[in-house]
Amino acid sequence: MIRHLDMRKEILYHVEKLLKDKNRYMYTVVSPVDFTCFVTKERLSCVEIESKRFEAIEPGDRWGGDWTYAWLRSSVTAPMESEGKRLVIRADFGSEATVYVNGIVRGALDLQHHDVTLTRIAKAGERFEVAAEAYAGHSGIQPVLGESQLCLFEEEIYQFYIDLECLVQVRNHIDPDSLRAAEIDRGLTEVVRTIDWGLAKDALTDNVRKCRQRMAPLLECVNGSTAPLLYLMGQSHLDIAWLWPMEETKRKIARTMSNQLALMEEYPDYRYVQSQPYLFQLAKDLYPELYARIQQAVNEGRIIPEGGMWVESDTNLPGGESLIRQILHGKRFFKEEFGKENEMLWLPDVFGYSGNMPQIMKGCGLRYFASVKMFQTYENVSDPFPYNTFLWEGIDGSQVLTHLLDYGDFPIRVNPSFLIRQWNDRVQKDGIATRLVQFGHGDGGGGANRDDLEFLRRLENLEGVPRTVHGSPIDYFEDQIERGVPDAKYVGELYYPAHRGTYTTQAQIKRLNRKAEVGLHEAEIWGAAASLLQHRAYPYEKMDRLWKKLLLHQFHDILPGTSIHRVHEEAQAELTELNGQVDAMASGAKEVLAGSGRSGVTVFNSLSWARKELVVLPEGVEGIADRDGKTLPVQRHDGKRYAEVETPSAGWAAYSVTAGDVTLEALGLAVLTATKSHLENEYLAIGINEYGEIVSILDKETGTEWTVGHCNAMKMYRDQPSAFDAWEIDRGYQTAPVALVEKAEVYVTAEGPLFANIRVERMLHRSKLIQDIRIRAGSRRVEFHTTVHWHEKNKMLRVDFPVRVHANESLQEIQFGYVKRPNHASRPHDADRFEVCQHKWAVLAESNRSFALLNDCKYGIAVQDNTMSLTLLRSPTHPDETSDQGTHKFTYGFFVWNGSFLDSPVVQEAYELNYPVSLVHSGNQAGHKSFLQTDQASVITETVKLAEDGSGDWIIRAYECKGATVSCGFTFNLPVKTAYETNMLEEVTADLLAAEGKLKLDFRPFEVKTIRLVLLDA
């Protein structure tokens, strides 16, 4: 007698074999389908291909080349035997393809969609014109055309297989000794003994129907009263660019949306969530017929536009204003296009989340946050994240309800195994009874398929599987609020303990992004000023277009530098062009403000405090004098003339052109000293060795030595992470140093009177460093103007500053504030943060003094004990084999301060390094003008612009930068009629009292405030 346990195993083996053979029985081949073909690099519509010459192509033929597309075409006729049945095409083009049926985009063939339905109820003799656009890829290997077939889809057999898989998966996850398991075993045994694939068609259909009838009672069993509830969200994560160029994304959105619309025709209850308005805009511009169907589905509540941002942006690297504009443009598109308000920020695949995101979200009207990435750490984390559902509190105290999902299997299939694991794998074992769960194929788009929706029909409340509801993610959050938010709070950034290399990879893109953010800041403030004072039209449409271009390139695989070479190449070209356009906009506005003529120069300062800065005089200008007629000192360096000018806050100062400059002798005693080994001004004496390293930083004010080792020390390491080349920096990188033994050539290039400069030229392995070490008179800042000709592969370049500061944490700037991070590895989460993201500055501070590193485009930094290590360059070889090769120009510096961090000008120094004053050769009539002043140094005015609604109102965005509660007075030299406080979307939230252009606002630590000024002239 066979033991019962052996019988169970045998039956399960039979079931597994049945499931493997399902395609063999689900499709009945009617006939082969022959295609004709032509190949192109153009993006064409289905109408435009009619004029092209198609040629025959046979199975086994190779087609196309890198970056090309094949259009394939065929005509098929429904045969007699298809009458009343589902008729499909199974085509193998060797690649992903968009499929058109009778000129309408009807679906796609991809990893999770293996056929396209021509009709669900065929009529014999009906003709179908089929066209497909297939991508050849870019691997250097041509795709091969496979067999394509016209098939009858055997619906009853398909439903049998879904029933069977559903039950066997439940069986495999429940207690094998339970009554439920025994009943399923009994049912499966009878199915295995009943099914007979040798029967003829009608008889086989009856046989399969009988098997389904046996399984039906088992699929009708429901859960008890304590079963958890999963809110299922149909979606498709579609990377704007990654392992494919943006040109391919323009096809992917058509494939994805047509797939989902086809499902909705068959499954009226199906709801699909699509984020990223940029993708909707692509569909609108390129596929008008498809977009009309999308609009209808949105109006019917079947497509849910939700997600918050224009694209799924990185949140570590973009500036605070960029993140606000991501949401502003994202929400505005969905509101204007569909009448839908977004409530959730959905960033499933972003590499960590800034500590100020809760404030930015709330300020933009987003109530909920959801992501998937925090639990996908590739075994690279020593301290897993503790919550799924919690209140996330940002650095200013703002809180948003947050849920972190799990990826689950890849690709995702909504079956019992997936749902059971989604519940069992939660990290928060107590306090929650529900979860939000995504489904649908993603990364390259695609979305759900029929299997997912058929499983969902069976899994609403199936015994042994969590209960499910399907719809909008907002339903999940509203239900959670009704149930009560769990007693769980997480404070600060959601640091992602992986992908740390993304702070540095593709340095050129990061530099161009920083410059574009600065440039748009300049274009907006001077555009507003020119509109007010010179009635120059404010370029609303162009500004909108350029902001969207920048936001697009902040996508989380573009700005972090984790895409293929073509994506990076195109991004650099686009951002270079954008910077040129933005600079031209700002220059045009400043020229109008400065006035005509060549008798003077006007210096513009967009920051909200008065400044004294070096400028390069225009060609042909030998000297300048201030408004009192005093001629300013001029210094010649590298063929240029430099002068030190003063400008008021958020305004400009005019200087007259003079025939000559002031001589060095006329200045009196020089305060700068420069030799090959020494730089010195009133405050600092700097020692330099034969490698260009700083061996001493003597503070002349206190007699203190700041160094404890060689600063500005270049360090190179082998950089070959165990996986994800462009993304990762391995924990143990310091164990693989690359010796840099060649000494530098060091020589003096400037000795004052305004600044002293030492030039350092040095080989770094196969690369060359050219660096100007510069100190100004009257400054406690030392700058390193750096050029690197980078020719390394799988290497990382850092610069170290070991300093005499004792602290247990370091401070790094993020958007609208800073975070504190450990500079030690005492606990697992401390150790995980061995490389972190900064913006313009990082600080080691004692209670009475600070050492700061400043930068103009470098984001990665490590701080270990008292050593600050700025990550300068990487050179990964996947997925871009030429990452970062070539010439890089950047500036970093240090700033030392005696006194508390709260009272230090560190933040202003970092802004001044990034936002240089600008000079226009003009007439001499502009005078001095300041639009605004503030009376608190820790309140920074980040943005001055005209309102998005075209009203002509002025928008001022300011924030508290030091983590202090302050009351700040604003003085506006503008014809203010009324003033309002608004949210970040510029919607009025409160009246403000502005008497004679003055108002006072209370700021909590790191609070961002937006002011709207209605002007009399408007």
Side-chain angles (χ1 to χ4, degrees):
M1 182 175 179
I2 300 175
R3 290 187 303 154
H4 182 59
L5 181 61
D6 292 337
M7 285 294 295
R8 281 184 175 180
K9 284 185 176 180
E10 182 178 296
I11 292 300
L12 291 176
Y13 289 146
H14 276 289
V15 171
E16 184 179 345
K17 181 182 177 183
L18 281 173
L19 291 171
K20 286 180 180 178
D21 288 342
K22 66 179 181 179
N23 283 352
R24 177 180 170 189
Y25 299 107
M26 285 193 319
Y27 297 98
T28 298
V29 177
V30 174
S31 65
V33 177
D34 297 323
F35 284 92
T36 56
C37 170
F38 83 92
V39 175
T40 181
K41 285 189 175 181
E42 292 182 273
R43 187 174 65 250
L44 303 171
S45 70
C46 200
V47 174
E48 290 172 318
I49 67 170
E50 294 299 325
S51 62
K52 303 298 181 180
R53 180 182 175 185
F54 284 76
E55 297 181 351
I57 185 170
E58 301 292 335
D61 288 351
R62 293 190 176 275
W63 60 266
D66 285 0
W67 316 114
T68 64
Y69 289 83
W71 278 92
L72 300 109
R73 190 165 65 179
S74 185
S75 295
V76 298
T77 302
M80 290 297 296
E81 62 265 36
S82 70
E83 183 74 35
K85 293 192 171 185
R86 180 188 289 261
L87 189 63
V88 304
I89 277 190
R90 299 189 73 201
D92 178 5
F93 302 127
S95 72
E96 195 171 306
T98 316
V99 179
Y100 296 76
V101 179
N102 296 333
I104 304 298
V105 58
R106 281 297 181 190
L109 298 171
D110 59 34
L111 291 173
Q112 294 302 303
H113 302 87
H114 306 126
D115 62 48
V116 172
T117 297
L118 300 178
T119 176
R120 296 203 304 276
I121 305 175
K123 297 177 182 178
E126 187 176 3
R127 190 175 181 83
F128 302 94
E129 300 297 331
V130 179
E133 184 187 27
Y135 180 45
H138 45 270
S139 65
I141 301 173
Q142 289 179 294
V144 178
L145 184 71
E147 300 283 345
S148 298
Q149 299 162 332
L150 181 66
C151 300
L152 301 180
F153 188 82
E154 304 297 345
E155 188 66 27
E156 194 69 33
I157 294 175
Y158 172 67
Q159 297 293 341
F160 162 78
Y161 274 117
I162 297 292
D163 291 347
L164 184 66
E165 186 174 358
C166 200
L167 284 177
V168 75
Q169 288 197 6
V170 173
R171 161 68 179 77
N172 288 338
H173 281 277
I174 61 177
D175 181 355
D177 296 323
S178 66
L179 176 60
R180 175 72 163 148
E183 290 179 341
I184 293 175
D185 285 344
R186 190 176 302 112
L188 294 177
T189 300
E190 292 183 28
V191 167
V192 168
R193 289 172 177 168
T194 302
I195 193 73
D196 184 355
W197 297 115
L199 295 172
K201 284 193 183 305
D202 291 342
L204 177 60
T205 300
D206 290 340
N207 176 262
V208 166
R209 191 173 291 120
K210 185 188 236 182
C211 291
R212 291 194 67 207
Q213 289 170 353
R214 177 61 186 88
M215 291 186 283
L218 299 171
L219 291 167
E220 292 169 358
C221 297
V222 298
N223 287 294
S225 58
T226 60
L229 180 62
L230 303 181
Y231 280 81
L232 288 161
M233 174 178 73
Q235 64 90 48
S236 175
H237 173 53
L238 176 48
D239 284 327
I240 302 297
W242 179 35
L243 301 180
W244 52 85
M246 286 191 194
E247 273 300 315
E248 173 64 357
T249 302
K250 293 172 183 177
R251 280 81 168 184
K252 284 179 176 287
I253 186 58
R255 297 174 199 144
T256 299
M257 298 304 280
S258 60
N259 275 337
Q260 301 313 297
L261 288 166
L263 288 173
M264 288 172 193
E265 291 177 7
E266 189 165 359
Y267 299 89
D269 293 335
Y270 175 45
R271 299 293 179 266
Y272 173 74
V273 179
Q274 180 63 60
S275 61
Q276 306 191 100
Y278 169 75
L279 295 174
F280 285 86
Q281 186 69 59
L282 286 182
K284 182 178 182 179
D285 293 343
L286 302 176
Y287 306 94
E289 183 279 330
L290 175 65
Y291 191 69
R293 286 188 278 146
I294 291 170
Q295 286 180 304
Q296 181 179 347
V298 172
N299 292 336
E300 294 170 349
R302 301 164 81 182
I303 289 180
I304 301 168
E306 184 66 73
M309 286 186 170
W310 181 247
V311 300
E312 289 171 7
S313 170
D314 182 84
T315 74
N316 287 313
L317 303 165
E321 192 63 33
S322 291
L323 294 176
I324 291 172
R325 303 301 176 94
Q326 285 281 2
I327 301 173
L328 184 150
H329 285 286
K331 290 193 70 174
R332 186 163 70 191
F333 182 93
F334 283 153
K335 179 69 173 177
E336 292 178 354
E337 202 72 11
F338 305 119
K340 304 295 183 182
E341 284 284 0
N342 273 198
E343 297 183 79
M344 178 182 79
L345 179 60
W346 169 240
L347 296 175
D349 197 34
V350 174
F351 314 146
Y353 306 94
S354 165
N356 219 344
M357 284 308 302
Q359 179 176 199
I360 292 171
M361 287 175 58
K362 291 194 77 171
C364 293
L366 296 177
R367 304 171 59 197
Y368 312 119
F369 176 65
S371 176
V372 183
K373 196 69 173 179
M374 290 298 291
F375 295 119
Q376 192 189 33
T377 54
Y378 313 103
E379 307 300 325
N380 197 24
V381 59
S382 54
D383 187 8
F385 196 80
Y387 304 123
N388 296 110
T389 305
F390 58 99
L391 287 175
W392 179 20
E393 182 174 304
I395 61 173
D396 75 311
S398 296
Q399 295 182 346
V400 291
L401 181 57
T402 297
H403 186 76
L404 300 181
L405 297 74
D406 289 298
Y407 265 104
D409 298 330
F410 190 87
I412 294 171
R413 295 187 74 227
V414 180
N415 53 33
S417 295
F418 171 70
L419 297 181
I420 291 167
R421 281 196 293 269
Q422 284 289 305
W423 179 251
N424 290 344
D425 290 350
R426 72 198 187 281
V427 296
Q428 203 166 349
K429 299 299 184 183
D430 297 316
I432 61 173
T434 63
R435 289 207 66 188
L436 181 62
V437 176
Q438 63 164 356
F439 70 94
H441 185 58
D443 276 351
N449 59 23
R450 276 198 77 199
D451 287 6
D452 297 322
L453 302 190
E454 287 293 341
F455 278 121
L456 275 180
R457 283 180 165 179
R458 293 157 173 82
L459 294 172
E460 183 176 348
N461 188 5
L462 179 63
E463 184 182 2
V465 184
R467 295 175 298 131
T468 67
V469 293
H470 163 229
S472 167
I474 305 305
D475 297 339
Y476 160 78
F477 285 106
E478 290 178 346
D479 176 72
Q480 185 65 70
I481 290 171
E482 189 174 332
R483 291 169 182 267
V485 176
D487 184 20
K489 181 174 76 171
Y490 194 89
V491 179
E493 66 179 330
L494 300 184
Y495 177 83
Y496 182 56
H499 293 5
R500 302 169 182 90
T502 61
Y503 312 144
T504 303
T505 307
Q506 296 294 337
Q508 295 284 25
I509 291 175
K510 291 172 171 60
R511 179 178 182 273
L512 288 165
N513 176 76
R514 177 82 66 89
K515 300 309 178 189
E517 290 179 330
V518 171
L520 283 163
H521 166 94
E522 300 286 314
E524 288 183 332
I525 185 173
W526 305 128
S531 174
L532 174 67
L533 298 180
Q534 301 296 332
H535 306 291
R536 185 176 191 262
Y538 190 78
Y540 289 104
E541 291 186 8
K542 188 172 185 180
M543 200 75 78
D544 180 86
R545 185 171 68 253
L546 293 177
W547 262 112
K548 285 176 179 174
K549 181 179 287 190
L550 177 61
L551 301 179
L552 172 63
H553 289 91
Q554 291 173 346
F555 180 75
H556 66 261
D557 279 311
I558 300 177
L559 182 55
T562 53
S563 293
I564 58 173
H565 177 72
R566 177 174 165 181
V567 172
H568 299 143
E569 185 178 49
E570 291 174 350
Q572 287 190 39
E574 289 278 319
L575 289 172
T576 299
E577 181 186 13
L578 184 151
N579 273 284
Q581 292 179 308
V582 167
D583 291 347
M585 286 171 61
S587 296
K590 287 183 286 188
E591 287 169 3
V592 168
L593 291 166
S596 59
R598 309 287 281 179
S599 61
V601 295
T602 305
V603 183
F604 290 83
N605 168 30
S606 66
L607 300 180
S608 55
W609 56 89
R611 297 165 67 182
K612 179 184 287 188
E613 296 284 1
L614 288 176
V615 295
V616 177
L617 296 180
E619 190 173 347
V621 175
E622 295 183 355
I624 56 175
D626 63 19
R627 57 182 170 177
D628 297 324
K630 180 182 177 182
T631 301
L632 302 186
V634 170
Q635 178 174 332
R636 298 175 181 84
H637 182 251
D638 280 352
K640 300 175 181 176
R641 291 171 178 259
Y642 290 79
E644 189 173 71
V645 297
E646 296 184 29
T647 63
S649 62
W652 57 80
Y655 291 81
S656 58
V657 172
T658 62
D661 55 32
V662 178
T663 63
L664 180 59
E665 290 77 13
L667 290 172
L669 184 64
V671 297
L672 292 167
T673 303
T675 70
K676 291 171 65 172
S677 61
H678 188 78
L679 282 173
E680 186 172 349
N681 69 0
E682 309 96 305
Y683 298 112
L684 301 174
I686 310 297
I688 301 169
N689 69 8
E690 65 272 26
Y691 295 97
E693 299 169 336
I694 307 295
V695 295
S696 174
I697 305 171
L698 179 66
D699 193 323
K700 295 167 68 175
E701 182 181 6
T702 61
T704 303
E705 173 59 56
W706 283 92
T707 68
V708 291
H710 292 182
C711 291
N712 196 41
M714 295 292 161
K715 304 288 186 180
M716 188 179 289
Y717 301 94
R718 284 179 51 225
D719 186 22
Q720 295 174 300
S722 55
F724 302 106
D725 212 13
W727 290 260
E728 301 296 352
I729 295 175
D730 276 357
R731 294 172 185 271
Y733 71 87
Q734 290 177 313
T735 63
V738 177
L740 303 176
V741 297
E742 293 195 37
K743 295 181 179 179
E745 294 182 29
V746 182
Y747 44 96
V748 176
T749 63
E751 301 177 70
L754 302 178
F755 63 90
N757 198 93
I758 290 176
R759 183 157 297 161
V760 175
E761 296 188 9
R762 181 186 177 192
M763 290 302 298
L764 303 174
H765 199 241
R766 296 185 178 91
S767 302
K768 185 173 184 180
L769 169 78
I770 303 170
Q771 187 171 75
D772 283 356
I773 306 175
R774 182 173 298 177
I775 188 168
R776 281 174 57 191
S779 175
R780 300 181 65 87
R781 183 169 93 212
V782 176
E783 296 175 357
F784 302 85
H785 298 259
T786 307
T787 299
V788 178
H789 301 292
W790 186 242
H791 304 297
E792 309 295 332
K793 289 291 183 76
N794 296 115
K795 303 292 188 299
M796 175 168 55
L797 183 65
R798 312 181 70 97
V799 61
D800 286 3
F801 286 80
V803 295
R804 197 179 302 276
V805 176
H806 176 69
N808 295 323
E809 61 191 8
S810 59
L811 316 179
Q812 281 95 30
E813 186 192 36
I814 63 169
Q815 302 88 349
F816 303 126
Y818 66 83
V819 291
K820 298 178 180 180
R821 293 166 173 139
N823 57 345
H824 52 81
S826 301
R827 301 283 297 169
H829 188 45
D830 303 334
D832 279 341
R833 289 173 285 176
F834 64 86
E835 178 89 357
V836 295
C837 186
Q838 62 169 0
H839 277 220
K840 298 182 290 295
W841 59 265
V843 166
L844 276 174
E846 296 174 355
S847 60
N848 64 338
R849 64 188 197 131
S850 307
F851 184 96
L853 276 186
L854 318 175
N855 74 85
D856 74 345
C857 61
K858 296 300 170 188
Y859 294 87
I861 190 170
V863 184
Q864 182 64 40
D865 298 325
N866 59 351
T867 297
M868 305 178 79
S869 180
L870 187 64
T871 316
L872 300 179
L873 292 168
R874 299 184 69 223
S875 49
T877 53
H878 177 79
D880 181 353
E881 65 280 1
T882 63
S883 291
D884 286 303
Q885 299 300 299
T887 299
H888 297 264
K889 294 179 183 292
F890 50 88
T891 298
Y892 59 90
F894 69 81
F895 174 77
V896 293
W897 171 256
N898 295 309
S900 71
F901 173 70
L902 177 62
D903 295 329
S904 77
V906 166
V907 177
Q908 283 81 359
E909 293 278 340
Y911 267 90
E912 289 174 6
L913 182 67
N914 282 270
Y915 292 75
V917 297
S918 53
L919 185 149
V920 173
H921 195 178
S922 62
N924 195 25
Q925 66 269 32
H928 276 55
K929 178 72 175 179
S930 173
F931 285 107
L932 73 91
Q933 302 92 41
T934 60
D935 63 10
Q936 286 289 340
S938 72
V939 173
I940 304 292
T941 299
E942 179 77 5
T943 300
V944 179
K945 61 187 284 289
L946 293 193
E948 293 289 317
D949 60 11
S951 62
D953 295 351
W954 280 50
I955 300 295
I956 316 292
R957 190 153 16 247
Y959 74 99
E960 197 288 317
C961 70
K962 292 288 185 64
T965 298
V966 298
S967 181
C968 180
F970 289 79
T971 300
F972 300 107
N973 298 314
L974 296 164
V976 178
K977 179 181 178 182
T978 52
Y980 303 97
E981 188 169 349
T982 76
N983 60 20
M984 294 178 186
L985 303 180
E986 305 174 9
E987 299 164 341
V988 172
T989 58
D991 294 343
L992 295 175
L993 180 62
E996 298 180 347
K998 297 178 183 291
L999 60 84
K1000 208 163 191 66
L1001 291 174
D1002 295 329
F1003 286 77
R1004 67 178 181 270
F1006 303 125
E1007 183 178 8
V1008 181
K1009 286 186 178 290
T1010 306
I1011 304 165
R1012 186 179 188 118
L1013 303 177
V1014 181
L1015 305 186
L1016 289 170
D1017 288 351

